[in-house]
Every structure is written in C-alpha cells, then in structure tokens.
Amino acid sequence: MSGAVENAPATATAPVRRSRDVPMLVERARAGDPRAVARLITLVESGDEVLPQVAAALAPYAGHAQVVGLTGSPGVGKSTTTNELVRALRARGHRVGVLAIDPSSPFTGGAILGDRVRMQDHATDPGVYIRSMSSRGHLGGLSAATPQAVRVLEGAGCDVVLVETVGVGQAEVEVASLADTTLVLLAPGMGDAIQAVKAGILEIADVFVVNKADRDGADATVRDIQGMIALGERGPGEWRPQVVRAIAARGEGIDDIAAAIDKHRDWLERHGELRRRREARAAAEIEAIALGTLRDRIGSLRDGTQLPTLAAKVAEGAIDPYAAAAELLAQLAA
C-alpha cells in the first residue's frame, strides 16, 4: 500500500487528498489505495465531524487483523525490529500495516516522525502501509487516535498491524490494551534488567525480546527476565511469556520472534483469550469516546453560567465539590 504514493498520477490524488466522502474513501482503501488510507487516518487524527461515519463504514471489517504491539525504552531497537518483522511477514504473503508513535514536543506540539524514515526499505512495497503518528501529549506511549487508526488499517485489508510505541519507559503499558500480542524489547547495557522489567512492564509482556544480543551482558539479561517470569503466579494453562534473543540490525532472531508471536496467537485462540482481549479493547474504545464527549460538553458549559456558578459556591464553602459535580452531571443528563 505504501509504494504507490509517489508513483501515481497527480489526477488520482485530487479526489482523495481533501475528500470527506467516507464511502468512497473506504472503498478505495479496501482496494489498496494508500492515499485513501492516509486520508482516513488523517480524519481520525483530527477528530473530524465525519469520524462517526468512518467508524460505521469500517465496523464490518473489524477484528480481521492480528495486532502486535512493540514497546520498550528508547534505544532498544524497536524501529529496527519492526522493520525486520515487516520483512518476515511480507515473506509469508501478509499485508502489513505499521503505526509508529513518535513523541510530540510539549512546547510546540510538533514531532519528528522519524520512525518511518528508518523503514524506507519497504517504501516501494504496495503490501505495506507505514504511518507515523504524533502522541500529541497523550500518555501511555500511544496516540489517542491509535485505536481508530488500527481499524482503518484493518479495513484496508492488512493481515497484521504492528503498533510501535513512543518508548517512554516503565509506565508505557497502554499498548497492552490495544494489542493481541505485546512484545517488550530490552537490550543489554541499558541498566539493571530487573529495573527494566518492573512497574507494569512484566505484566504486559507476552514476549520479551532481548535485542542487541551480541553485546556483553545479554546472557545475564535473559537470566534476569526468566527469573522474574518464574516468580510470577500463573494458574494451569496460563500463558508463560517467551524470551527471545535477537540482533535486529543483522536480521538475526526475527524468525524466532515471529514464531513466538504465532505460538501466542495459537494460545489466545485455544483459550478464548483473543475474544476476551478484543472485547476489552472495544470496551476501552467505547469508554474513551463517551468520556471524550462528556469532556466536550463540560467544556461547553464553561461558556455558560452553570459551571462558574457552581465553582463560586464551592470556593465560598456554600456547597461541597461532590455535590457540585452531581449537580453538573444532572445538568449534562438533562
């Protein structure tokens, strides 16, 4: 899908570049037009008023793609590993979508969006679509628009969607709620391995990838992770995270990573966990949309008198904040 962007005639871009014709965009995205895919994701990212139409048009195609998340600290090789995984998946004949989330500046809101630059090997492959997205201040390693962007790529016929997170550290666990399988990447020489896998990271990993395994300390890193896994409590039949070594820069260990992803996928399907995870993902999407709508409505109240009046009463002690919040919610429900 990505390869046709620069080669198509200019006349083909005109109806798509600024179009808000959702049925046409979805039809062309389904046919593999990368411009239509790009336009749909742009509508998603911008929160355009046609977003509900986009979601409705894409709904019949939901759940067909395998979603794999890649997370880990900056410098562990997430982009390189993603690039090599794309190569391995394409060798299997899969259509692949990549969402690479980059951090945005807290001052300007801008982002380098450099992960796509690292994946130029696939720039001319029509079976690959790569999109860099700015986090736009959203915490957890993803962009707020990522779940709907995944749906766009599913609708565009991707068999596998790889979601590469920002790489912000131990609190970057939101990807686990989005992905069917979550890879946590570590590298020797980047600090205490126990430090690297604590504080939630251990709990979200389905597969640990010790990248740059040719470095000193790789064996110790693997042992530390395996020791931490052994300490975890698991019931009969529960998934035990796999630990895989790789040197992504040389393409080594990528087949082992793909095999671990396949093994986890088989386990998910056998135990009904795939359905449970996807239902949990849908619940999170519904909740986020509902809360976003409520925030917008509360924001609109700031232009009226209801919220300022309640705030004044709380400030002078005439009413407590819980009672004020209850009154505000009643006003919203009216």
Side-chain angles (χ1 to χ4, degrees), residues 265-284:
R265 173 65 179 242
D266 291 342
W267 178 86
L268 289 172
E269 292 178 339
R270 287 199 315 271
H271 291 80
E273 183 68 10
L274 184 62
R275 181 182 180 86
R276 191 201 67 77
R277 289 193 181 197
R278 291 184 172 181
E279 288 178 353
R281 183 194 310 170

Side-chain angles (χ1 to χ4, degrees), residues 144-170:
T146 306
Q148 291 302 318
V150 168
R151 291 188 178 275
V152 171
L153 293 181
E154 284 185 311
C158 290
D159 301 301
V160 182
V161 177
L162 303 177
V163 181
E164 180 192 328
T165 69
V166 166
V168 294
Q170 295 170 351

